[in-house]
Amino acid sequence: HKEHGLEFALNAETCYFSPRLSTERLRIARQVKPGEKVLVLFSGVAPYPLVIARLSQASEVVGVEANPAAHKYAVENVQRNRLGHKVMLIKGDAKKKIPKQLFDRVVMPWPLRADEFLGVALKHVKKGGFLHFYDFQPEGEFKAAKDIVLAACKRARKKCKILRVVECGQVGVRNYRVCVDV
C-alpha cells in the first residue's frame, strides 16, 4: 500500500489495515507540533507512526503492538521508509510494554477495545497533552464516546477537555468510527 509518500508492506490475512483511514492519519499528523513525543497504542503495521513521523516535526514516535505478524511488518515498514531515527516500535501488550515516560500526544486507533486501555493511556499523557480515542458508535449517539473518555478521566483523577468528536468513516449501516480529541 502507498500513502502520503510512504510504502507499507502487510498481509491482510494476519494484520488489520484500512486504507480508508488515510485521511484520518493525515488529520492527526497535521496536529502534531514540532518536538512532540507521540505514543501510538495498537500501532499495527505502523501507518500512524510512519505518517506522523514523515509529515510532522515530532521528535519521537513510539508504536506498541501485540500482534507479532503486524509488528514484523511494522519493523519492515520503518526500514523501508527510512524513519528508524524517529520511530521506535515495541512488540507487546500496551498495558505492560509502554515506556515509563510521558508523551505530548497519545493515539489509540483500536475502536473495538480502546476503552479498556484508557486508564493506561491517561497515565502517559503529559499535563496539557492530547489524546485521540477511537470508538465505534451508532449514528446520532457519538456523545457516548465522549462519556467513555470523561468517565475514564474522572477515574484517573485527570482534568480533561473534549476538543471535538470527529466522524472517521462508516463501518456499517448507520454505524461509525469516531475519534474523540481530548
Side-chain angles (χ1 to χ4, degrees):
H1 176 77
K2 291 183 180 184
E3 169 182 318
H4 306 300
L6 298 159
E7 292 183 5
F8 298 96
L10 63 113
N11 179 343
E13 291 181 8
T14 60
C15 311
Y16 175 79
F17 179 82
S18 176
R20 295 187 306 169
L21 290 172
S22 170
T23 303
E24 177 61 11
R25 290 188 279 270
L26 180 61
R27 183 185 79 83
I28 297 297
R30 285 181 172 161
Q31 292 182 46
V32 175
K33 296 175 183 79
E36 278 191 10
K37 292 184 180 187
V38 181
L39 172 65
V40 181
L41 303 179
F42 336 116
S43 57
V45 300
Y48 277 90
L50 289 171
V51 170
I52 291 167
R54 171 65 54 87
L55 300 178
S56 78
Q57 293 179 24
S59 64
E60 176 184 18
V61 183
V62 176
V64 181
E65 175 56 50
N67 175 347
H71 178 75
K72 180 184 135 239
Y73 282 110
V75 170
E76 178 183 335
N77 291 334
V78 168
Q79 293 169 350
R80 174 186 298 258
N81 292 286
R82 296 182 176 99
L83 286 166
H85 62 287
K86 280 178 90 170
V87 178
M88 181 176 90
L89 300 172
I90 299 170
K91 181 174 72 171
D93 184 335
K95 288 183 180 174
K96 301 173 187 170
K97 293 287 188 169
I98 298 174
K100 295 194 184 311
Q101 71 182 83
L102 295 176
F103 293 86
D104 300 291
R105 188 173 302 271
V106 177
V107 184
M108 304 178 70
W110 186 25
L112 196 57
R113 291 184 48 210
D115 59 323
E116 297 173 26
F117 294 81
L118 265 168
V120 172
L122 288 168
K123 288 179 185 174
H124 293 280
V125 179
K126 283 183 179 177
K127 184 176 181 177
F130 298 90
L131 176 74
H132 303 281
F133 169 77
Y134 290 80
D135 196 18
F136 291 131
Q137 290 295 330
E139 184 175 53
E141 297 184 31
F142 296 173
K143 183 184 179 306
K146 291 194 315 191
D147 293 342
I148 291 168
V149 174
L150 291 171
C153 289
K154 186 175 181 178
R155 282 192 303 276
R157 295 188 175 113
K158 294 259 189 177
K159 289 183 181 179
C160 70
K161 178 181 175 186
I162 305 294
L163 302 172
R164 70 191 70 78
V165 177
V166 178
E167 183 183 302
C168 305
Q170 196 166 355
V171 293
V173 177
R174 291 189 283 280
N175 257 333
Y176 294 86
R177 174 184 287 109
V178 296
C179 179
V180 181
D181 292 343
V182 185

